[in-house]
């Protein structure tokens, strides 16, 4: 009831409003669009409860006489807050909005260490700030930048085999290069034999029997570990799309300016018209020559970092990550030359953003949480490597790292709605999160070595319990221009992100400390 006093409306219990302020303060949260409406409604309900409780008092009473009343209201407030944190709902339109921007043609595929990657990083940083995240300890902004050494080649490489010289473009596609010439003695090896490969260091290996990328990539990884200098791959119908998988451009061994060049093999896809020129026997000398184009401006890559402080600095920090870069533009497929990367990895970036959105809108947690979206993953995890060398909190304080990679579609080998978690048996993190409601399960592609192929790995090598959650591990849109909005399952993404909110909230508030299982911690070279 509202009474009139002169020309003003006066509530008979207006004198209780000042005493309501301490309870109003409990509801001052970082508010997203959903949280704002929810908390305003709870404020109104709580104020009504106070008014009803004190309406029988015509005049102000000493506060100590009303202790029971306010204690009861405080209990209601705590219960309401608990229900509020459990009722957070990730909306598909929020997921769609992030994807619309990050995978738009306007960002031209967010090429690693490009201005488009920098734009994506600034978008993520601004979202972190809007959710109420803080800058990380020791940082004055939400961006961490790193200088790179990034050679550019002129596109006129050659492969010399005895008296025969093959030309880039006409005879072969230069899949990857260190940016420097490479030589080696020819050795033949079947793709199926490469996991047990023992080849002389510096060899040029001709890989046979690789019918498709699924069988080729593990062979390349094995030969890299074995120390091959050159890998020659005869083109087959199943490998004809290999250039498109890297945007139609040679993958150059780019490295952080503070690091020496990485020892990686030069990989050459020999076109079918030139395959007959390859020697039938071993022992020939192979030489790959490349020419570098001078550059006037150094390249940089960018990590976007947001920080949600916890209540207990000694409890450690959780790290939730994804990579925000992709392949940029490249060779056109069906008239489309933009490799949008909606699934790889705008989808993972969206997961990090919406988990930040949800957790920042709730009550403060015991453990701090770092939300990081790395740059230049597609160049070999350079952003995550730099972060590992320049962590914003000591690595020993990171309780666990959960990376999100390509969560845009259901994997046909996984149960409905469930994300695969790489390295499932290596630690107790995945099974424990699953027990608390996370839609996670074991990786059905151990032969693909996904655990070693994402940003989690650089931190795992330094002792952090770090895994990657993913959707379809080998989708047909992988590294294709067709990896766009039209090929995403927004409902699947939304449910997967939703399922992780409460398990992560539990982990951030618990004493549980994930551990590697015996023999599960990776070491360099394994």
């Amino acid at each position: 009831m509202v009474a009139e006093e002169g020309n003003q409306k006066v509530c008979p219990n207006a004198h209780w409003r000042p005493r309501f302020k301490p309870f109003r303060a409990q509801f001052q949260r970082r508010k997203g669009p959903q949280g704002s409406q929810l908390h305003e409604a709870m404020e109104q309900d709580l104020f009504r409860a106070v008014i009803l409780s004190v309406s029988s008092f015509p005049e102000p009473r000493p506060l100590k006489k009303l202790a029971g009343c306010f204690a009861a209201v405080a209990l209601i407030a705590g219960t309401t807050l608990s229900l509020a944190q459990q009722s957070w709902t990730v909306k598909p339109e929020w997921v769609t909005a992030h994807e619309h921007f990050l995978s738009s043609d306007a960002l031209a595929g967010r090429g690693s260490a490009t201005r488009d990657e920098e734009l994506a990083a600034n978008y993520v940083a601004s979202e972190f700030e809007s959710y109420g995240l803080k800058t990380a300890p020791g940082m004055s902004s939400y961006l961490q930048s790193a200088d790179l050494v990034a050679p550019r080649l002129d596109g006129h490489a050659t492969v010399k085999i005895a008296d025969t010289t093959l030309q880039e473009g006409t005879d072969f596609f230069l899949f990857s290069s260190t940016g420097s010439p490479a030589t080696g003695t020819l050795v033949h090896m079947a793709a199926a034999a490469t996991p047990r490969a023992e080849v002389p260091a510096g060899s040029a290996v001709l890989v046979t029997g690789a019918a498709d990328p699924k069988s080729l990539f593990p062979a390349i990884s094995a030969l890299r570990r074995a120390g091959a200098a050159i890998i020659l791959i005869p083109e087959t119908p199943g490998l004809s799309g290999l250039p498109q998988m890297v945007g139609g451009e040679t993958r150059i061994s780019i490295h952080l300016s503070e690091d020496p060049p990485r020892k990686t093999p030069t990989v050459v896809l020999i076109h079918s018209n030139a395959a007959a020129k390859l020697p039938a026997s071993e022992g020939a000398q192979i030489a790959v020559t490349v020419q570098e184009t001078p550059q006037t401006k150094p390249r940089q890559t960018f990590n976007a970092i947001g920080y949600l402080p916890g209540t207990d600095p000694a409890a450690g920090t959780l790290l939730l990550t994804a990579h925000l870069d992709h392949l940029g533009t490249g060779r056109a497929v069906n008239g489309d030359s933009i490799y949008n990367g909606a699934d790889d990895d705008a989808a993972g970036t969206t997961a990090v953003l919406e988990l930040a959105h949800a957790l920042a809108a709730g009550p403060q947690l015991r453990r701090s949480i770092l939300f990081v979206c790395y740059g230049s993953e597609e160049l070999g995890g350079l952003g995550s490597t730099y972060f590992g060398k320049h962590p914003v909190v000591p690595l020993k304080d990171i309780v666990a790292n959960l990376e999100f990679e390509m969560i845009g579609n259901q994997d046909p080998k996984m149960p409905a709605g469930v994300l695969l978690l790489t390295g499932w048996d290596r630690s107790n993190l995945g099974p424990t999160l699953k027990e608390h409601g996370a839609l996670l399960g074991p990786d059905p592609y151990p032969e693909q070595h996904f655990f070693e192929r994402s940003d989690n790995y650089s931190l795992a090598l330094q002792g952090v319990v770090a895994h990657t959650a993913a959707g379809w591990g080998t989708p047909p849109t992988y590294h294709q221009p067709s990896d766009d909005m039209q090929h995403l399952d927004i409902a699947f993404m939304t449910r997967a992100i939703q399922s992780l909110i409460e398990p992560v909230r539990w982990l951030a508030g618990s004493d549980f400390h994930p551990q590697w299982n015996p023999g599960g911690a990776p070491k360099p070279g394994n």
Side-chain angles (χ1 to χ4, degrees):
M1 181 181 67
V2 176
E4 296 285 344
E5 183 176 299
N7 59 357
Q8 293 184 334
K9 294 184 177 181
V10 180
C11 173
N13 302 100
H15 48 266
W16 293 112
R17 288 185 183 272
R19 299 184 184 188
F20 174 63
K21 287 182 180 179
F23 298 95
R24 285 183 65 95
Q26 297 185 51
F27 291 92
Q28 299 310 305
R29 297 283 183 259
R30 304 176 181 95
K31 297 177 181 178
Q34 178 189 26
S36 177
Q37 296 174 6
L38 177 62
H39 293 134
E40 286 172 5
M42 292 194 303
E43 273 192 15
Q44 294 171 10
D45 290 343
L46 181 57
F47 183 71
R48 291 191 193 99
V50 174
I51 294 302
L52 288 172
S53 300
V54 302
S55 60
S56 59
F57 298 100
E59 310 233 350
R61 303 289 192 223
L63 188 58
K64 63 182 181 180
K65 294 185 179 181
L66 302 176
C69 168
F70 283 104
V73 174
L75 179 61
I76 295 171
T79 303
T80 309
L81 280 171
S82 177
L83 291 173
Q85 78 175 45
Q86 295 175 21
S87 64
W88 182 272
T89 301
V90 179
K91 294 188 177 182
E93 53 264 39
W94 299 344
V95 173
T96 301
H98 295 312
E99 282 283 0
H100 267 311
F101 180 78
L102 291 169
S103 65
S104 67
D105 284 357
L107 288 191
R110 308 184 311 282
S112 304
T114 65
R115 183 175 182 274
D116 301 309
E117 180 200 87
E118 185 178 2
L119 289 173
N122 274 276
Y123 170 80
V124 173
S126 67
E127 291 294 284
F128 284 162
E129 186 173 11
S130 75
Y131 300 152
L133 300 186
K134 307 300 182 184
T135 55
M139 293 184 63
S140 59
S141 79
Y142 294 87
L143 293 180
Q144 181 186 56
S145 62
D147 292 336
L148 306 181
V149 175
R152 290 189 183 275
L153 303 182
D154 66 1
H156 299 292
T158 63
V159 175
K160 189 172 183 180
I161 309 168
D163 296 330
T164 301
T165 300
L166 306 181
Q167 302 294 329
E168 183 177 6
T170 304
D171 299 316
F172 67 88
F173 172 71
L174 187 60
F175 183 81
S176 65
S177 171
T178 61
S180 300
T183 61
T185 303
L186 185 64
V187 174
H188 290 194
M189 182 168 292
T194 55
R196 303 172 298 280
E198 292 185 9
V199 298
S203 295
V205 182
L206 177 63
V207 178
T208 60
D212 52 36
K214 189 180 295 187
S215 59
L216 175 63
F217 288 150
I220 292 176
S221 297
L223 292 172
R224 174 184 54 79
R225 292 192 294 269
I230 300 171
I231 300 175
L232 302 174
I233 308 159
E235 187 177 35
T236 65
L239 294 175
S240 61
L242 203 59
Q244 283 75 29
M245 296 184 70
V246 291
E249 294 186 0
T250 302
R251 297 191 66 170
I252 308 296
S253 182
I254 298 173
H255 58 92
L256 296 170
S257 62
E258 62 188 43
D259 291 345
R262 291 179 291 181
K263 293 182 179 179
T264 58
T266 296
V267 180
V268 180
L269 178 70
I270 307 294
H271 295 322
S272 54
N273 63 295
K277 300 177 183 179
L278 296 173
S281 59
E282 299 182 342
Q285 289 299 304
I286 310 295
V288 180
T289 62
V290 296
Q291 295 294 329
E292 185 177 344
T293 300
Q295 297 183 72
T296 58
K297 184 180 179 181
R299 289 173 67 178
Q300 287 187 311
T301 191
F302 297 88
N303 297 330
I305 303 176
Y307 183 62
L308 188 62
T311 60
D312 183 359
T317 300
L318 300 184
L319 177 62
L320 303 181
T321 58
H323 72 89
L324 51 79
D325 66 308
H326 194 53
L327 300 176
T329 59
R331 186 176 301 180
V333 179
N334 298 323
D336 186 359
S337 61
I338 298 177
Y339 290 67
N340 302 86
D343 188 23
D344 184 12
D345 189 29
T349 299
T350 295
V352 172
L353 285 170
E354 283 308 317
L355 286 169
H357 191 184
L359 296 170
Q364 190 174 17
L365 301 166
R366 178 169 175 257
R367 285 170 168 153
S368 301
I369 305 179
L370 276 170
F371 302 88
V372 183
C373 291
Y374 302 117
S376 294
E377 187 272 350
E378 298 289 359
L379 296 180
L382 296 184
S384 59
T385 300
Y386 186 83
F387 178 86
K389 290 175 175 290
H390 304 273
V392 296
V393 299
L395 292 183
K396 64 179 179 61
D397 293 340
I398 297 180
V399 174
N401 169 216
L402 189 59
E403 169 90 2
F404 297 93
E405 177 85 60
M406 296 169 57
I407 68 162
N409 286 286
Q410 168 76 58
D411 192 297
K413 290 189 176 182
M414 296 295 293
V418 177
L419 298 173
L420 65 86
L421 189 77
T422 65
W424 179 269
D425 295 327
R426 287 177 176 265
S427 83
N428 59 1
L429 177 62
T432 303
L433 291 176
K434 180 180 179 181
E435 289 175 1
H436 286 82
L439 295 176
L440 297 172
D443 173 12
Y445 303 97
E447 75 284 356
Q448 292 293 321
H449 301 281
F450 287 145
F451 179 78
E452 297 94 337
R453 288 169 55 186
S454 193
D455 282 318
N456 66 286
Y457 192 57
S458 62
L459 294 181
L461 288 173
Q462 299 185 67
V464 178
V465 176
H467 298 262
T468 293
W472 193 351
T474 57
T477 59
Y478 178 68
H479 283 192
Q480 297 289 324
S482 55
D483 182 6
D484 54 22
M485 278 288 298
Q486 287 67 41
H487 293 88
L488 290 179
D489 185 341
I490 296 295
F492 172 80
M493 287 177 61
T494 304
R495 289 192 299 271
I497 298 168
Q498 181 73 53
S499 82
L500 286 156
I501 293 173
E502 293 311 318
V504 171
R505 197 193 305 275
W506 165 81
L507 183 58
S510 75
D511 293 322
F512 173 69
H513 200 295
Q515 300 291 330
W516 293 112
N517 293 327
K523 296 178 175 58
N526 74 352

